[in-house]
Short mmCIF file of all heavy atoms in Angstrom, two decimals:
data_model
loop_
_atom_site.label_atom_id
_atom_site.label_comp_id
_atom_site.label_asym_id
_atom_site.label_seq_id
_atom_site.Cartn_x
_atom_site.Cartn_y
_atom_site.Cartn_z
N PRO A 116 94.25 102.57 100.32
CA PRO A 116 94.08 101.87 99.04
C PRO A 116 95.42 101.56 98.39
O PRO A 116 96.32 102.40 98.35
CB PRO A 116 93.27 102.86 98.21
CG PRO A 116 92.50 103.65 99.22
CD PRO A 116 93.46 103.80 100.39
N GLY A 117 95.55 100.32 97.94
CA GLY A 117 96.78 99.87 97.29
C GLY A 117 97.78 99.22 98.22
O GLY A 117 98.70 98.55 97.75
N ASP A 118 97.63 99.40 99.54
CA ASP A 118 98.55 98.77 100.48
C ASP A 118 98.37 97.26 100.45
O ASP A 118 97.25 96.75 100.42
CB ASP A 118 98.31 99.26 101.91
CG ASP A 118 98.80 100.67 102.16
OD1 ASP A 118 99.52 101.22 101.29
OD2 ASP A 118 98.47 101.22 103.22
N ARG A 119 99.50 96.56 100.48
CA ARG A 119 99.45 95.09 100.56
C ARG A 119 99.49 94.70 102.03
O ARG A 119 100.30 95.22 102.79
CB ARG A 119 100.59 94.48 99.76
CG ARG A 119 100.40 94.76 98.27
CD ARG A 119 101.45 94.15 97.38
NE ARG A 119 101.71 92.74 97.55
CZ ARG A 119 100.96 91.73 97.10
NH1 ARG A 119 99.85 91.99 96.44
NH2 ARG A 119 101.32 90.49 97.29
N VAL A 120 98.61 93.81 102.40
CA VAL A 120 98.50 93.35 103.78
C VAL A 120 98.40 91.83 103.81
O VAL A 120 97.97 91.21 102.85
CB VAL A 120 97.26 93.96 104.48
CG1 VAL A 120 97.40 95.46 104.65
CG2 VAL A 120 95.98 93.64 103.73
N ARG A 121 98.83 91.27 104.93
CA ARG A 121 98.69 89.82 105.14
C ARG A 121 97.64 89.64 106.24
O ARG A 121 97.67 90.32 107.26
CB ARG A 121 100.00 89.19 105.57
CG ARG A 121 99.90 87.67 105.81
CD ARG A 121 101.22 87.05 106.19
NE ARG A 121 102.30 87.37 105.25
CZ ARG A 121 102.51 86.75 104.09
NH1 ARG A 121 101.71 85.78 103.71
NH2 ARG A 121 103.51 87.11 103.32
N VAL A 122 96.74 88.70 106.03
CA VAL A 122 95.75 88.37 107.05
C VAL A 122 96.44 87.48 108.07
O VAL A 122 97.13 86.52 107.72
CB VAL A 122 94.54 87.64 106.43
CG1 VAL A 122 93.50 87.32 107.50
CG2 VAL A 122 93.91 88.49 105.32
N ARG A 123 96.29 87.82 109.33
CA ARG A 123 96.92 87.03 110.39
C ARG A 123 96.42 85.59 110.33
O ARG A 123 95.23 85.34 110.20
CB ARG A 123 96.63 87.63 111.75
CG ARG A 123 97.26 89.00 111.92
CD ARG A 123 96.97 89.55 113.31
NE ARG A 123 97.38 90.93 113.41
CZ ARG A 123 98.61 91.35 113.67
NH1 ARG A 123 99.56 90.46 113.88
NH2 ARG A 123 98.90 92.63 113.75
N ALA A 124 97.35 84.66 110.43
CA ALA A 124 97.03 83.23 110.36
C ALA A 124 96.78 82.71 111.77
O ALA A 124 97.59 81.98 112.33
CB ALA A 124 98.16 82.47 109.69
N VAL A 125 95.66 83.11 112.33
CA VAL A 125 95.32 82.69 113.69
C VAL A 125 94.04 81.87 113.67
O VAL A 125 93.22 82.00 112.76
CB VAL A 125 95.14 83.91 114.63
CG1 VAL A 125 96.45 84.67 114.78
CG2 VAL A 125 94.05 84.81 114.14
N ASP A 126 93.91 81.02 114.66
CA ASP A 126 92.70 80.22 114.82
C ASP A 126 92.29 80.32 116.29
O ASP A 126 92.54 79.42 117.09
CB ASP A 126 92.96 78.77 114.43
CG ASP A 126 91.69 77.95 114.38
OD1 ASP A 126 90.59 78.53 114.33
OD2 ASP A 126 91.79 76.71 114.39
N PRO A 127 91.67 81.46 116.65
CA PRO A 127 91.34 81.67 118.05
C PRO A 127 90.29 80.69 118.55
O PRO A 127 89.50 80.16 117.76
CB PRO A 127 90.82 83.11 118.08
CG PRO A 127 90.30 83.34 116.70
CD PRO A 127 91.18 82.54 115.79
N PRO A 128 90.26 80.46 119.86
CA PRO A 128 89.29 79.52 120.43
C PRO A 128 87.91 80.17 120.63
O PRO A 128 87.11 79.68 121.40
CB PRO A 128 89.92 79.15 121.77
CG PRO A 128 90.66 80.38 122.16
CD PRO A 128 91.19 80.95 120.87
N HIS A 129 87.67 81.27 119.94
CA HIS A 129 86.40 81.98 120.06
C HIS A 129 85.97 82.46 118.68
O HIS A 129 86.68 82.27 117.69
CB HIS A 129 86.56 83.18 121.02
CG HIS A 129 87.67 84.11 120.65
ND1 HIS A 129 87.59 85.00 119.61
CD2 HIS A 129 88.90 84.26 121.17
CE1 HIS A 129 88.72 85.67 119.51
NE2 HIS A 129 89.54 85.23 120.44
N HIS A 130 84.82 83.08 118.62
CA HIS A 130 84.28 83.61 117.38
C HIS A 130 85.25 84.58 116.71
O HIS A 130 85.87 85.38 117.39
CB HIS A 130 82.96 84.34 117.66
CG HIS A 130 82.42 85.08 116.49
ND1 HIS A 130 81.69 84.45 115.51
CD2 HIS A 130 82.53 86.38 116.13
CE1 HIS A 130 81.36 85.35 114.60
NE2 HIS A 130 81.86 86.53 114.95
N THR A 131 85.35 84.50 115.39
CA THR A 131 86.09 85.49 114.62
C THR A 131 85.42 85.64 113.26
O THR A 131 84.80 84.69 112.76
CB THR A 131 87.58 85.12 114.44
OG1 THR A 131 88.23 86.20 113.77
CG2 THR A 131 87.77 83.84 113.68
N ARG A 132 85.52 86.82 112.69
CA ARG A 132 84.94 87.09 111.38
C ARG A 132 85.96 86.90 110.26
O ARG A 132 85.71 87.29 109.13
CB ARG A 132 84.38 88.51 111.34
CG ARG A 132 83.22 88.75 112.27
CD ARG A 132 81.98 87.99 111.87
NE ARG A 132 81.58 88.31 110.53
CZ ARG A 132 80.46 88.93 110.20
NH1 ARG A 132 79.60 89.26 111.12
NH2 ARG A 132 80.19 89.18 108.95
N VAL A 133 87.10 86.30 110.57
CA VAL A 133 88.12 86.06 109.54
C VAL A 133 87.84 84.72 108.86
O VAL A 133 87.96 83.67 109.50
CB VAL A 133 89.55 86.03 110.15
CG1 VAL A 133 90.58 85.83 109.05
CG2 VAL A 133 89.83 87.29 110.92
N PRO A 134 87.47 84.73 107.58
CA PRO A 134 87.25 83.45 106.90
C PRO A 134 88.54 82.64 106.83
O PRO A 134 89.62 83.19 106.62
CB PRO A 134 86.81 83.88 105.48
CG PRO A 134 86.37 85.29 105.60
CD PRO A 134 87.18 85.88 106.72
N ARG A 135 88.43 81.35 107.03
CA ARG A 135 89.62 80.49 107.01
C ARG A 135 90.38 80.58 105.68
O ARG A 135 91.60 80.52 105.66
CB ARG A 135 89.23 79.03 107.27
CG ARG A 135 88.86 78.77 108.70
CD ARG A 135 88.66 77.26 108.93
NE ARG A 135 88.05 77.03 110.22
CZ ARG A 135 88.71 76.99 111.37
NH1 ARG A 135 90.00 77.17 111.37
NH2 ARG A 135 88.08 76.78 112.51
N TYR A 136 89.66 80.75 104.59
CA TYR A 136 90.32 80.73 103.28
C TYR A 136 91.21 81.95 103.02
O TYR A 136 91.99 81.93 102.06
CB TYR A 136 89.32 80.53 102.14
CG TYR A 136 88.26 81.60 102.01
CD1 TYR A 136 88.48 82.76 101.27
CD2 TYR A 136 87.02 81.43 102.62
CE1 TYR A 136 87.50 83.73 101.15
CE2 TYR A 136 86.04 82.40 102.50
CZ TYR A 136 86.28 83.53 101.75
OH TYR A 136 85.29 84.49 101.63
N VAL A 137 91.14 82.99 103.85
CA VAL A 137 92.05 84.13 103.67
C VAL A 137 93.14 84.20 104.74
O VAL A 137 94.05 85.02 104.63
CB VAL A 137 91.30 85.49 103.59
CG1 VAL A 137 90.37 85.51 102.39
CG2 VAL A 137 90.59 85.83 104.87
N ARG A 138 93.07 83.37 105.75
CA ARG A 138 94.07 83.41 106.82
C ARG A 138 95.47 83.10 106.26
O ARG A 138 95.66 82.10 105.57
CB ARG A 138 93.72 82.43 107.93
CG ARG A 138 92.45 82.84 108.66
CD ARG A 138 92.07 81.86 109.73
NE ARG A 138 90.73 82.15 110.20
CZ ARG A 138 90.07 81.43 111.08
NH1 ARG A 138 90.64 80.35 111.60
NH2 ARG A 138 88.85 81.77 111.44
N GLY A 139 96.41 84.00 106.53
CA GLY A 139 97.78 83.84 106.05
C GLY A 139 98.00 84.35 104.63
O GLY A 139 99.13 84.37 104.16
N GLN A 140 96.93 84.77 103.96
CA GLN A 140 97.03 85.21 102.57
C GLN A 140 97.35 86.70 102.48
O GLN A 140 97.03 87.47 103.37
CB GLN A 140 95.72 84.93 101.84
CG GLN A 140 95.34 83.47 101.77
CD GLN A 140 96.34 82.68 100.94
OE1 GLN A 140 96.85 83.15 99.93
NE2 GLN A 140 96.63 81.45 101.38
N VAL A 141 97.96 87.09 101.36
CA VAL A 141 98.28 88.49 101.08
C VAL A 141 97.24 89.05 100.12
O VAL A 141 96.90 88.41 99.12
CB VAL A 141 99.70 88.62 100.48
CG1 VAL A 141 99.97 90.06 100.04
CG2 VAL A 141 100.74 88.16 101.48
N GLY A 142 96.74 90.23 100.45
CA GLY A 142 95.77 90.90 99.60
C GLY A 142 96.10 92.38 99.51
O GLY A 142 97.07 92.86 100.09
N GLU A 143 95.26 93.10 98.78
CA GLU A 143 95.44 94.53 98.56
C GLU A 143 94.23 95.29 99.10
O GLU A 143 93.09 94.93 98.82
CB GLU A 143 95.57 94.81 97.06
CG GLU A 143 95.72 96.26 96.72
CD GLU A 143 95.78 96.50 95.22
OE1 GLU A 143 96.01 95.53 94.47
OE2 GLU A 143 95.60 97.64 94.81
N VAL A 144 94.50 96.31 99.90
CA VAL A 144 93.42 97.13 100.45
C VAL A 144 92.76 97.89 99.30
O VAL A 144 93.44 98.56 98.51
CB VAL A 144 93.95 98.11 101.51
CG1 VAL A 144 92.86 99.08 101.94
CG2 VAL A 144 94.49 97.34 102.71
N VAL A 145 91.44 97.78 99.22
CA VAL A 145 90.67 98.52 98.22
C VAL A 145 90.23 99.85 98.82
O VAL A 145 90.39 100.90 98.21
CB VAL A 145 89.45 97.71 97.74
CG1 VAL A 145 88.60 98.52 96.78
CG2 VAL A 145 89.89 96.39 97.12
N GLU A 146 89.66 99.79 100.04
CA GLU A 146 89.21 101.00 100.72
C GLU A 146 88.97 100.73 102.19
O GLU A 146 88.83 99.58 102.60
CB GLU A 146 87.95 101.58 100.07
CG GLU A 146 86.73 100.69 100.23
CD GLU A 146 85.48 101.28 99.58
OE1 GLU A 146 85.31 102.52 99.63
OE2 GLU A 146 84.70 100.51 99.02
N ALA A 147 88.92 101.80 102.96
CA ALA A 147 88.57 101.71 104.38
C ALA A 147 87.10 102.11 104.51
O ALA A 147 86.65 103.05 103.86
CB ALA A 147 89.45 102.64 105.20
N HIS A 148 86.36 101.39 105.36
CA HIS A 148 84.93 101.62 105.54
C HIS A 148 84.61 102.38 106.83
O HIS A 148 83.47 102.38 107.27
CB HIS A 148 84.17 100.30 105.59
CG HIS A 148 84.11 99.56 104.30
ND1 HIS A 148 83.61 100.09 103.13
CD2 HIS A 148 84.50 98.30 103.99
CE1 HIS A 148 83.68 99.19 102.17
NE2 HIS A 148 84.22 98.10 102.65
N GLY A 149 85.60 102.94 107.49
CA GLY A 149 85.35 103.61 108.76
C GLY A 149 85.56 102.66 109.92
O GLY A 149 85.95 101.50 109.74
N ALA A 150 85.32 103.13 111.13
CA ALA A 150 85.55 102.34 112.34
C ALA A 150 84.25 101.73 112.85
O ALA A 150 83.22 102.42 112.91
CB ALA A 150 86.18 103.22 113.42
N TRP A 151 84.32 100.45 113.21
CA TRP A 151 83.14 99.70 113.67
C TRP A 151 83.53 98.81 114.85
O TRP A 151 84.68 98.38 114.95
CB TRP A 151 82.61 98.83 112.54
CG TRP A 151 82.10 99.63 111.40
CD1 TRP A 151 82.82 100.09 110.32
CD2 TRP A 151 80.79 100.13 111.24
NE1 TRP A 151 82.01 100.82 109.50
CE2 TRP A 151 80.77 100.87 110.03
CE3 TRP A 151 79.62 100.03 111.99
CZ2 TRP A 151 79.62 101.50 109.56
CZ3 TRP A 151 78.48 100.65 111.52
CH2 TRP A 151 78.48 101.37 110.32
N PRO A 152 82.58 98.48 115.73
CA PRO A 152 82.87 97.58 116.85
C PRO A 152 83.33 96.21 116.33
O PRO A 152 82.80 95.69 115.36
CB PRO A 152 81.54 97.46 117.59
CG PRO A 152 80.77 98.68 117.19
CD PRO A 152 81.21 98.99 115.78
N LEU A 153 84.32 95.65 116.99
CA LEU A 153 84.86 94.35 116.62
C LEU A 153 83.89 93.25 117.04
O LEU A 153 83.61 93.07 118.23
CB LEU A 153 86.22 94.15 117.30
CG LEU A 153 86.98 92.88 116.97
CD1 LEU A 153 87.40 92.86 115.51
CD2 LEU A 153 88.19 92.75 117.87
N PRO A 154 83.34 92.50 116.08
CA PRO A 154 82.35 91.47 116.42
C PRO A 154 82.90 90.39 117.34
O PRO A 154 82.15 89.84 118.15
CB PRO A 154 81.94 90.88 115.08
CG PRO A 154 82.67 91.59 114.03
CD PRO A 154 83.59 92.58 114.66
N ASP A 155 84.19 90.08 117.25
CA ASP A 155 84.79 89.07 118.12
C ASP A 155 84.57 89.45 119.59
O ASP A 155 84.25 88.60 120.42
CB ASP A 155 86.29 88.97 117.86
CG ASP A 155 86.65 88.68 116.41
OD1 ASP A 155 86.06 89.32 115.53
OD2 ASP A 155 87.53 87.85 116.18
N ASP A 156 84.77 90.73 119.90
CA ASP A 156 84.59 91.21 121.28
C ASP A 156 83.13 91.19 121.68
O ASP A 156 82.79 90.80 122.81
CB ASP A 156 85.13 92.64 121.44
CG ASP A 156 86.65 92.70 121.42
OD1 ASP A 156 87.31 91.64 121.36
OD2 ASP A 156 87.18 93.83 121.48
N ARG A 157 82.25 91.61 120.79
CA ARG A 157 80.81 91.64 121.12
C ARG A 157 80.30 90.25 121.48
O ARG A 157 79.59 90.08 122.46
CB ARG A 157 80.01 92.20 119.94
CG ARG A 157 80.14 93.68 119.80
CD ARG A 157 79.18 94.16 118.77
NE ARG A 157 78.64 95.42 119.25
CZ ARG A 157 77.87 96.19 118.56
NH1 ARG A 157 77.48 95.82 117.36
NH2 ARG A 157 77.45 97.32 119.06
N VAL A 158 80.66 89.25 120.67
CA VAL A 158 80.20 87.88 120.91
C VAL A 158 80.74 87.34 122.22
O VAL A 158 80.07 86.60 122.92
CB VAL A 158 80.60 86.98 119.73
CG1 VAL A 158 80.42 85.51 120.05
CG2 VAL A 158 79.80 87.34 118.49
N ARG A 159 81.96 87.76 122.59
CA ARG A 159 82.57 87.28 123.83
C ARG A 159 82.12 88.08 125.05
O ARG A 159 82.56 87.82 126.16
CB ARG A 159 84.09 87.33 123.68
CG ARG A 159 84.57 86.33 122.64
CD ARG A 159 86.01 86.49 122.24
NE ARG A 159 86.90 86.40 123.37
CZ ARG A 159 88.05 87.05 123.46
NH1 ARG A 159 88.42 87.88 122.51
NH2 ARG A 159 88.81 86.91 124.51
#
Side-chain angles (χ1 to χ4, degrees):
D118 286 349
R119 294 182 52 78
V120 293
R121 180 178 307 279
V122 181
R123 294 181 189 277
V125 296
D126 189 17
H129 54 75
H130 172 82
T131 184
R132 295 292 303 245
V133 182
R135 287 188 191 277
Y136 61 87
V137 298
R138 294 178 191 176
Q140 298 295 323
V141 173
E143 179 183 344
V144 172
V145 176
E146 67 180 323
H148 291 304
W151 295 89
L153 183 66
D155 305 45
D156 287 356
R157 285 189 141 173
V158 168
R159 293 169 58 212

